[in-house]
């Protein structure tokens, strides 16, 4: 893929040092509900608190967004 991209007009290949500076998103430890992206507390019990976008955190159910 790098060869395809580097064939584009005006494209430059970054050095390893430059790639580290640009970086990207690094995974953060989950220390907040919904991985730190935000959520709304909802009044569901723990046995009902499951599914896509729903997490149980710190004795509270959250709907993630």
């Amino acid at each position: 893929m790098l060869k395809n991209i580097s064939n584009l007009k005006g494209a430059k290949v970054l050095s390893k040092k430059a790639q580290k500076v640009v970086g990207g998103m690094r995974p953060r430890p989950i220390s907040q509900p919904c991985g730190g992206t935000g959520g709304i507390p909802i009044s569901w019990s723990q046995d009902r608190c499951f599914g896509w976008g729903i997490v149980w955190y710190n004795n509270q159910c959250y709907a993630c967004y």
Side-chain angles (χ1 to χ4, degrees):
M1 186 166 147
L2 179 59
K3 289 181 181 183
N4 293 341
I5 293 171
S6 62
N7 288 336
L8 295 174
K9 185 177 181 180
K12 297 178 184 177
V13 178
L14 295 176
S15 67
K16 291 289 182 184
K17 184 177 180 180
Q19 290 176 25
K20 288 181 182 179
V21 171
V22 172
M25 290 186 67
R26 292 186 175 89
R28 290 186 250 164
I30 298 174
S31 59
Q32 298 176 350
C34 305
T37 61
I40 299 171
I42 54 178
S43 61
W44 291 1
S45 62
Q46 185 175 7
D47 60 332
R48 187 175 170 210
C49 185
F50 65 89
W52 189 85
I54 306 292
V55 297
W56 183 261
Y57 176 80
N58 202 18
N59 294 324
Q60 176 69 48
C61 190
Y62 288 87
C64 303
Y65 53 85

